[in-house]
Amino acid sequence: PDGFGTGTREQAVSGAALLLALGCGLAHAQTSPEALALQNKINQATHKLSYTGTFIYQQGTRTEVSRIARIADASGSIEKLEVLDGVPREVVRTREGVRCYLPASQTVKIERASAQRDFPAILPDRLNELPQYYTATRGEPARIAGYDCVSVKLTPRDDLRYGYVLWADASSGMLLRARTVNEKGETIEQFTFTQLQIGPVARDKVRPKHAARNWRIEDAAAAPADLSEAGWTVNADLPGFRKIDEVRRKLRESQMVGQVVYSDGLAAVSIFIEPLSERREIMRTGMSNLGAFNIYTREVANHLVTVVGETPAASVRRIADRVEFKRPQ
């Protein structure tokens, strides 16, 4: 992924985005205290630990190896991720935002600070809300990258979201493997560390390799927005999913699109609204899939509405079908 486990619009969408369950029989299942304690430990480790390491990211049949370095101190975290396979990419994240260096095209893509969490954050800060939508139980231990790990299984209470299995170092709480599973228990996305060193990290490890002088700058230029003022009604209509961001952002050289992001704390869904009049290429509507991401595109009022979600296909389509436009009076 273009940075820290969240996936990107370029990888997840071939359109407007273009820029990482089990049934009701679980309705009365309870989260175990041990599982909740492990979730808290993982969450704390995400914010406090400095480390360097190498991990493998798997999405469907595609795999990618990346090297990461992270410094966490009083001034805030700094992370650098270098993708070691395929087209060279280097991503540096600071408090100010994210810079993605693409040496092949001599381009730097800039994303301002947003609600994205530090890698390898999977769990939200407000863990107390998760038991409404997921059952947490202790899973099987494992040895990963030389560390003795314990695990927690997060099973959805409905068919609107995926399940997760998380393995963390028993001592530090560092998340070493995260697996996303569908309603059949099949793995659809996973990252796992193959090498990890926890402890102080030298500053040069998080600096970009490229000076990037005279490189082309592509700025996402996102700004807060209220799409309802333009006549749009957008509602996730999924229990537990709350709106966490609503912006207008630059897509391509000058085109602006609307984006609304919803999340239940684990999974995220983005709705992109793009004027068809400004598109140069033809966009195929309907459903498509990329690993854990489902993408549904439909035309509404001479706009292209694209919903990208780390959720089952039915959830993505349900959201897309409820996006409506009514011209303001």
Side-chain angles (χ1 to χ4, degrees):
D2 257 3
F4 316 103
T6 58
T8 63
R9 289 176 298 278
E10 286 91 344
Q11 292 174 319
V13 187
S14 58
L18 285 180
L19 280 185
L20 27 179
L22 295 178
C24 59
L26 290 169
H28 301 291
Q30 298 297 314
T31 291
S32 72
E34 295 84 0
L36 183 59
L38 178 55
Q39 290 177 73
N40 276 294
K41 190 172 184 178
I42 292 172
N43 196 45
Q44 291 298 314
T46 293
H47 300 297
K48 294 181 178 180
L49 295 181
S50 298
Y51 59 84
T52 59
T54 303
F55 67 90
I56 298 175
Y57 175 73
Q58 297 170 277
Q59 187 182 67
T61 59
R62 187 175 67 87
T63 62
E64 192 171 77
V65 181
S66 298
R67 181 165 50 223
I68 187 169
R70 181 176 190 270
I71 296 176
D73 57 24
S75 62
S77 65
I78 302 175
E79 302 165 354
K80 186 181 83 167
L81 178 146
E82 182 182 2
V83 179
L84 304 179
D85 295 337
V87 178
R89 309 197 293 288
E90 189 177 60
V91 182
V92 178
R93 183 192 299 274
T94 65
R95 288 182 302 173
E96 286 71 38
V98 179
R99 286 178 172 256
C100 179
Y101 296 83
L102 305 171
S105 60
Q106 294 195 333
T107 301
V108 182
K109 295 187 177 184
I110 300 175
E111 179 85 16
R112 304 301 179 188
S114 69
Q116 292 180 346
R117 299 190 290 268
D118 294 336
F119 180 84
I122 297 293
L123 298 170
D125 290 330
R126 297 187 340 194
L127 289 171
N128 60 310
E129 297 181 3
L130 285 185
Q132 299 178 62
Y133 310 107
Y134 298 87
T135 300
T137 55
R138 288 294 292 266
E140 294 296 322
R143 185 160 172 79
I144 303 170
Y147 291 83
D148 291 322
C149 295
V150 290
S151 69
V152 60
K153 297 175 64 176
L154 298 170
T155 305
R157 295 182 182 271
D158 54 37
D159 59 358
L160 301 176
R161 53 205 104 215
Y162 290 129
Y164 301 86
V165 188
L166 313 178
W167 285 265
D169 172 32
S171 176
S172 67
M174 174 69 186
L175 187 63
L176 273 81
R177 177 181 294 160
R179 180 177 295 167
T180 304
V181 298
N182 62 17
E183 72 281 359
K184 298 178 182 178
E186 299 166 336
T187 300
I188 53 177
E189 186 177 66
Q190 175 176 277
F191 88 81
T192 184
F193 275 96
T194 57
Q195 180 274 326
L196 178 68
Q197 182 175 346
I198 300 173
V201 175
R203 284 279 162 180
D204 64 302
K205 296 289 186 181
V206 296
R207 294 193 184 103
K209 288 183 177 180
H210 310 282
R213 297 187 182 91
N214 301 318
W215 284 23
R216 186 173 78 251
I217 304 295
E218 292 185 4
D219 195 330
D226 183 354
L227 300 184
S228 66
E229 294 179 351
W232 291 99
T233 300
V234 180
N235 186 349
D237 193 32
L238 297 178
F241 280 80
R242 298 180 179 180
K243 184 168 67 175
I244 60 173
D245 207 5
E246 185 169 2
V247 298
R248 288 193 181 275
R249 64 169 64 251
K250 184 186 292 185
L251 186 68
R252 307 181 189 91
E253 295 182 358
S254 59
Q255 182 177 340
M256 298 297 290
V257 302
Q259 180 186 10
V260 185
V261 183
Y262 289 86
S263 177
D264 68 350
L266 280 175
V269 179
S270 282
I271 301 101
F272 296 90
I273 301 175
E274 173 187 1
L276 271 173
S277 59
E278 298 183 18
R279 288 192 63 88
R280 297 177 181 175
E281 67 275 10
I282 297 174
M283 178 62 193
R284 182 173 63 87
T285 58
M287 184 70 70
S288 58
N289 170 270
L290 184 61
F293 288 91
N294 282 293
I295 305 129
Y296 187 75
T297 302
R298 61 186 286 251
E299 186 177 335
V300 180
N302 202 35
H303 283 70
L304 208 60
V305 173
T306 301
V307 179
V308 183
E310 302 168 276
T311 57
S315 297
V316 169
R317 181 162 188 165
R318 176 171 163 175
I319 294 172
D321 286 344
R322 284 161 175 75
V323 177
E324 298 178 347
F325 175 79
K326 184 177 181 180
R327 189 175 303 279
Q329 299 297 323

